[in-house]
């Protein structure tokens, strides 16, 4: 058999390079490529220029904002020697010298990265402490990058403190963490801290557009805006979603489309949500439920529908304030938000927010999510047809809302001249006319009339009376009326005291108000609401 048949004369095939995900491929290699962290870059640049470098840096922030990437960039900036080999630390590392290339490739012997999640103990830190005594092999600084530093044990933190406070001049520590609250204050006080911000959605969308262009992939702006929103400020999360969206588009998909991204992420279509929101405001219960079921049949989670409705209410509120309601919105959506903002008051928007938010929380815990979502939407529709609480109060005060209630028992007016009292109410007024106010109050609060006939008065007591009460009451009545009274406290319960009657009458009036159609509807829409200021309202009506 010839060599040609065996393939021995064929040139060796080049080894195919493994695919690198976008989150790794487009990791920033210079500070200019680090998006959304301008304040930190400016501070670091000034510190490098003035040779005022801290010996330890702590980088904190949510996932994917660039903590580890920033640590590597700092390592490059401190160890860059420039293309000619004579450079000094710079905020703009050249990227071509051996230290820059070795650090970027993760192979520099003097830049040691450690994951604290898998190296939590004192033994791991002891190795760092021992090695830090020796000078760097080839770099200007020996740099230790410890990721997720909050996961170190207490003993490990304590072992690091002394070295961290007074490290050798050739050593720099770079810590990264997502949970800075778990880092001991003794460590925090020894570090220069940088809080990396969430990256704004508009910056992320622009960054993803550059990445898509570099990859030769066509992407709709709306699709990139959706990805940027879903990333929640994380560049890494956004690039991972973009990677998935490109794969989802396939070879014949014609690029990354907004509709495909919504389907991939399980997001509700914003156009459909705008239509649903309009149905809610119009009070169209059947249309709203049909629209919800349509979204549900497409696989959209009911909680996601309510979450998007919350975003819509928030967007309308911002539009009413005249502020930017967010990046990535189409002209159609912006116009809809402005139209709703013109027609809705702030109280109505706040009420909508509370109702939808309550529904969102209920659906999250419900055994029947879609049914709970339907009930939440029906509650919104019912409440949308009611006036806001302030308007309701104005209607009640103006009399445009009629409340049917039993009139309170009015106290008899004082007689022009002293006369024999014919009821316990007149007796109390008689005592007040004689300036025996304490006795009058005791009569109202404690006495339960059993028999009242002329100057004969039998009563029960709501509580134990003072020992000399009968004597004082008899003397006061004799002085006020000129007649000796026969007063007797009996064991019979008797009728309610005047105070008990007043409380019962007020409760009956309050219940009658709460049972009126308008107030009942308002209380149903706002289960946590309370009827307050009732005494003032009674005075105004009187």
């Amino acid at each position: 058999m010839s060599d040609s048949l065996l393939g021995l004369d064929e040139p060796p095939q080049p080894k195919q390079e493994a695919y690198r995900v976008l989150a790794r491929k487009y990791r920033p290699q210079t500070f200019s490529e680090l998006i959304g962290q301008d304040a930190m870059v400016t501070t670091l640049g000034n510190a490098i220029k003035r040779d005022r470098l801290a010996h330890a840096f702590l980088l904190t922030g949510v996932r994917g904002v660039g903590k580890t990437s920033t640590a590597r960039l700092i390592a490059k900036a401190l160890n860059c020697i420039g293309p000619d080999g004579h450079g000094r630390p710079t905020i703009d590392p050249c990227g071509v010298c051996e230290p820059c290339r070795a650090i970027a490739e993760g192979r520099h012997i003097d830049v040691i990265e450690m994951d604290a999640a898998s190296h939590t103990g004192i033994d791991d830190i002891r190795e760092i402490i021992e090695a830090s005594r020796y000078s760097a092999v080839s770099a200007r600084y020996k740099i230790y990058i410890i990721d997720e530093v909050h996961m170190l044990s207490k003993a490990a933190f304590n072992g690091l403190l002394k070295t961290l406070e007074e490290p050798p001049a050739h050593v720099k520590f770079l810590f990264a963490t997502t949970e800075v609250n778990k880092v001991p204050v003794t460590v925090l006080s020894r570090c220069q801290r940088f809080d990396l911000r969430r990256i704004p959605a508009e910056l992320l969308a622009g960054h993803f557009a550059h990445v898509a262009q570099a990859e030769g992939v066509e992407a709709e702006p709306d699709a990139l805006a959706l990805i940027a929103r879903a990333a929640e400020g994380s560049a890494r999360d956004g690039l991972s979603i973009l990677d998935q969206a490109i794969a989802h588009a396939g070879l014949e998909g014609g690029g990354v489309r907004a509709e495909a991204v919504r389907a991939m992420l399980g997001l509700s279509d914003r156009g459909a949500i705008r239509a649903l929101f309009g149905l809610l405001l119009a009070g169209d219960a059947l249309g709203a439920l049909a629209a919800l079921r349509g979204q549900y049949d497409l696989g959209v989670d009911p909680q996601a529908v309510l979450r998007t409705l919350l975003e819509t209410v928030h967007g309308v509120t911002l539009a009413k304030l005249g502020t930017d309601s967010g990046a990535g919105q189409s002209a159609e959506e912006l116009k809809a938000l402005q139209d709703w903002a013109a027609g809705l008051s702030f109280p109505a928007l706040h009420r909508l927010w509370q109702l939808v938010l309550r529904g969102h929380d209920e659906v999250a815990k419900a055994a029947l999510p879609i049914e709970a979502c339907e009930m939440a939407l029906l509650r919104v529709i019912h409440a949308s047809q009611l006036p806001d609480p302030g308007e309701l109060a104005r209607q009640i005060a103006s009399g445009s809302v009629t409340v049917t209630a039993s009139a309170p028992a009015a106290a008899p007016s004082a007689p022009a001249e002293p006369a024999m009292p014919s009821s316990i109410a007149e007796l109390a007024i008689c005592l007040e006319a004689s300036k025996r106010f304490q006795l009058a109050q005791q009569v109202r609060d404690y006495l339960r009339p059993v028999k009242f006939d002329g100057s004969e008065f039998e009563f029960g007591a709501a509580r134990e009376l003072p020992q000399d009460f009968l004597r004082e009451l008899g003397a006061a009545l004799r002085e006020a009326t000129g007649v000796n009274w026969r007063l007797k406290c009996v064991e019979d319960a008797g009728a309610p005291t005047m105070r008990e009657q007043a409380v019962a009458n007020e409760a009956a009036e309050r219940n009658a108000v709460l049972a009126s159609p308008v107030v009942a509807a308002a209380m149903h829409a706002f289960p946590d609401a309370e009827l307050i200021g009732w005494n003032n309202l009674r005075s105004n009506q009187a």
Side-chain angles (χ1 to χ4, degrees), residues 393-479:
R394 285 191 292 271
Q395 290 182 14
I396 294 175
S398 65
S400 59
V401 175
T402 303
V403 177
T404 304
S406 59
S413 58
E417 297 180 358
M420 182 69 69
S422 59
S423 68
I424 188 172
E426 291 182 1
L427 189 149
I429 292 175
C430 179
L431 291 172
E432 285 182 341
S434 302
K435 300 188 183 304
R436 305 299 294 268
F437 299 109
Q438 183 177 2
L439 273 176
Q441 191 63 44
Q442 290 173 332
V443 166
R444 287 193 174 95
D445 291 349
Y446 306 143
L447 301 192
R448 290 174 170 166
V450 174
K451 177 181 178 182
F452 203 109
D453 184 11
S455 59
E456 185 178 353
F457 182 29
E458 294 183 5
F459 53 85
R463 54 164 291 181
E464 185 178 355
L465 297 172
Q467 186 174 2
D468 55 353
F469 176 78
L470 289 178
R471 181 180 59 79
E472 288 187 7
L473 179 59
L477 290 175
R478 183 172 60 251
E479 180 183 342

Side-chain angles (χ1 to χ4, degrees), residues 345 347-348 351 386-398 400 522 526:
S345 65
R351 179 173 54 183
L386 299 175
D388 62 73
E391 179 63 24
L392 181 62
R394 285 191 292 271
Q395 290 182 14
I396 294 175
S398 65
S400 59
F526 305 95

Side-chain angles (χ1 to χ4, degrees), residues 238-516:
L239 287 173
S240 297
I241 297 172
L242 179 59
D243 219 342
Q244 183 181 357
I246 294 173
H248 183 78
L251 298 177
E252 301 177 357
V256 179
R257 306 299 180 199
E259 184 177 355
V261 171
R262 288 192 188 98
M264 181 187 74
L265 297 177
L267 298 175
S268 55
D269 181 85
R270 300 191 74 83
I273 292 298
R274 290 198 300 273
L276 174 59
F277 189 70
L279 292 170
L280 293 177
L281 295 181
D284 187 349
L286 293 178
L289 294 186
L292 174 62
R293 282 289 177 173
Q295 290 286 292
Y296 184 70
D297 292 341
L298 291 174
V300 180
D301 182 52
Q303 195 173 6
V305 173
L306 293 174
R307 183 165 55 248
T308 312
L309 283 174
L310 284 171
E311 293 175 358
T312 303
V313 176
H314 181 253
V316 174
T317 306
L318 293 183
K320 191 169 184 65
L321 288 171
T323 61
D324 184 11
S325 56
Q329 292 176 332
S330 63
E332 181 183 4
E333 184 171 3
L334 289 174
K335 184 179 184 306
L337 294 179
Q338 292 168 358
D339 291 343
W340 286 323
L344 292 171
S345 65
F346 281 115
L349 288 169
H350 297 326
R351 179 173 54 183
L352 278 171
W353 174 267
Q354 292 296 331
L355 290 170
V356 179
L357 181 62
R358 179 181 173 189
H360 180 274
D361 294 342
E362 289 176 352
V363 170
K365 298 178 290 186
L368 302 171
I370 183 61
E371 287 79 2
C373 187
E374 289 177 338
M375 297 302 295
L377 294 188
L378 290 176
R379 185 166 60 229
V380 172
I381 290 172
H382 185 71
S384 68
Q385 301 171 355
L386 299 175
D388 62 73
E391 179 63 24
L392 181 62
R394 285 191 292 271
Q395 290 182 14
I396 294 175
S398 65
S400 59
V401 175
T402 303
V403 177
T404 304
S406 59
S413 58
E417 297 180 358
M420 182 69 69
S422 59
S423 68
I424 188 172
E426 291 182 1
L427 189 149
I429 292 175
C430 179
L431 291 172
E432 285 182 341
S434 302
K435 300 188 183 304
R436 305 299 294 268
F437 299 109
Q438 183 177 2
L439 273 176
Q441 191 63 44
Q442 290 173 332
V443 166
R444 287 193 174 95
D445 291 349
Y446 306 143
L447 301 192
R448 290 174 170 166
V450 174
K451 177 181 178 182
F452 203 109
D453 184 11
S455 59
E456 185 178 353
F457 182 29
E458 294 183 5
F459 53 85
R463 54 164 291 181
E464 185 178 355
L465 297 172
Q467 186 174 2
D468 55 353
F469 176 78
L470 289 178
R471 181 180 59 79
E472 288 187 7
L473 179 59
L477 290 175
R478 183 172 60 251
E479 180 183 342
T481 63
V483 177
N484 290 324
W485 283 69
R486 293 181 57 194
L487 305 175
K488 184 177 181 180
C489 184
V490 298
E491 296 296 331
D492 294 344
T497 67
M498 292 181 66
R499 177 186 177 88
E500 291 170 341
Q501 289 181 13
V503 171
N505 288 338
E506 183 176 347
E509 295 171 15
R510 186 183 185 90
N511 291 335
V513 171
L514 292 173
S516 65

Side-chain angles (χ1 to χ4, degrees), residues 102-181:
I103 293 172
E105 296 169 6
R107 57 179 176 81
H108 201 294
I109 192 173
D110 292 317
V111 178
I112 301 95
E113 291 193 33
M114 187 183 87
D115 178 20
S118 55
H119 299 81
T120 62
I122 182 61
D123 293 336
D124 301 299
I125 294 301
R126 188 177 291 116
E127 291 181 9
I128 292 178
I129 295 172
E130 293 296 329
S132 65
R133 299 176 182 177
Y134 303 101
S135 300
V137 175
S138 61
R140 184 180 293 114
Y141 293 103
K142 178 178 286 189
I143 295 178
Y144 291 95
I145 300 175
I146 303 181
D147 202 8
E148 299 301 337
V149 69
H150 66 273
M151 300 192 74
L152 288 178
S153 66
K154 182 177 181 180
F157 273 125
N158 291 336
L160 187 60
L161 286 179
K162 185 61 177 177
T163 302
L164 188 60
E165 184 171 18
E166 298 178 358
H170 59 271
V171 173
K172 301 290 182 184
F173 289 97
L174 303 176
F175 301 141
T177 179
T178 54
E179 300 183 50
V180 69
N181 58 300

